């Protein structure tokens, strides 16, 4: 538990000590592995859900790791659950990008026009604008895509100029604009936009629509855990499964709302996803 930041640690205190410790270890590992091994980070997040499936920060980790591994329908369900649990709309950009990943740009636009979106500020608002712009491009609405970026440009100076990553965000807006221009067949303009910002080369990584939240920053104290994991983590989910069997229930049982969202978001021909047993989750 001491490896977590204060806020998520406080959320886990609603659990028994054993369940909280088990979930905390998996959250730490999910954060540590997100960049180097997203699939294993996802497995750790799933193990945390089995121990603490009713805690918002746990479902948040499940949603973010699912998003990073391309499980868009699953990520959308998890982040909807997070919003129901804590009322926050901070992950609306990622939810909208999941809709794009599922081939539903119209739904991404609907999220971008929702009352929750109107209340967003700062970096989250900029991220949502980038996703909305990309959705307009998906629909062939290139002028509208550029207009969305124009509308949010001023937020760099007025709302997030004091952030360390303000320059990075500004560059991402430039790349989003260049991408929209290129999609519209206006390649010389796209190249000119990049050159004017000193970004003469395309970067596939920089063109990603959404910056995924860093689980390491979200859930862990810097330098607190060995990235290779610990022996304690290897058996944590086995203990969780045993505890669930003794209790006669599973911590991550779907609520009726989750089941409804699952049916809505999963295409009829989509293959089933098998969550690995806890014994397979290793540090």
């Amino acid at each position: 538990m001491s490896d977590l930041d204060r806020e998520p640690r406080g959320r886990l205190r609603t659990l028994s000590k054993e369940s909280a410790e088990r979930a905390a270890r998996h959250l730490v590992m999910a954060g540590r592995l997100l960049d180097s091994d997203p699939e294993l980070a996802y497995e750790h997040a799933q193990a945390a859900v089995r121990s603490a499936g009713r805690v918002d920060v746990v479902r948040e980790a499940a949603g973010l790791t699912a998003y990073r591994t391309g499980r868009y329908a699953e990520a959308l369900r998890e982040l909807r659950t997070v919003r129901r649990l804590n009322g926050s709309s901070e992950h609306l950009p990622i939810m909208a990008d999941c809709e794009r990943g599922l081939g539903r740009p119209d739904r991404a636009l609907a999220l971008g026009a929702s009352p929750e979106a109107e209340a967003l500020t700062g970096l989250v608002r900029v991220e949502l604008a980038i996703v909305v712009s990309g959705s307009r491009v998906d629909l062939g609405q290139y002028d509208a895509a550029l207009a969305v970026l124009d509308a949010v440009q001023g937020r760099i100076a007025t709302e997030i100029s004091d952030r360390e990553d303000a320059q990075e965000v500004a560059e991402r807006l430039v790349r989003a604009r260049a991408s929209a221009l290129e999609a519209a067949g206006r390649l010389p303009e796209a190249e000119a936009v990049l050159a004017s910002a000193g970004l003469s080369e395309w970067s596939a990584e920089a063109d990603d629509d959404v910056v995924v939240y860093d689980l390491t920053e979200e859930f862990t104290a810097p330098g607190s855990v060995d990235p290779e994991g610990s022996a304690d983590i290897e058996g944590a989910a086995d203990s969780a499964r045993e505890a669930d069997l003794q209790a006669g229930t599973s911590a991550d049982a779907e609520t009726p709302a989750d089941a409804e969202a699952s049916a809505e978001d999963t295409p009829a021909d989509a293959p089933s996803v098998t969550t690995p047993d806890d014994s397979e989750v290793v540090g």
Side-chain angles (χ1 to χ4, degrees), residues 54 59 77 80-81 84 253-263:
R54 294 294 181 265
R59 300 301 285 265
R77 291 195 303 272
R80 283 174 176 166
T81 298
R84 286 197 299 272
E254 259 188 348
T255 65
D258 289 340
E260 181 181 349
S262 176

Side-chain angles (χ1 to χ4, degrees), residues 142-196:
Y142 306 117
D143 289 341
L146 293 170
V148 170
L149 299 176
D150 288 338
V152 80
Q153 185 68 49
R155 292 181 180 271
I156 296 293
T158 61
E159 294 184 5
I160 62 175
S161 60
D162 58 341
R163 290 179 58 99
E164 293 183 0
D165 58 355
Q167 181 59 36
E168 177 185 347
V169 175
E171 290 180 1
R172 292 186 60 252
L173 277 173
V174 169
R175 292 188 184 280
R177 177 179 297 278
S179 293
L181 289 167
E182 183 187 32
R186 298 158 61 179
L187 186 57
E189 291 179 68
E191 293 175 342
V193 165
L194 289 172
S196 66

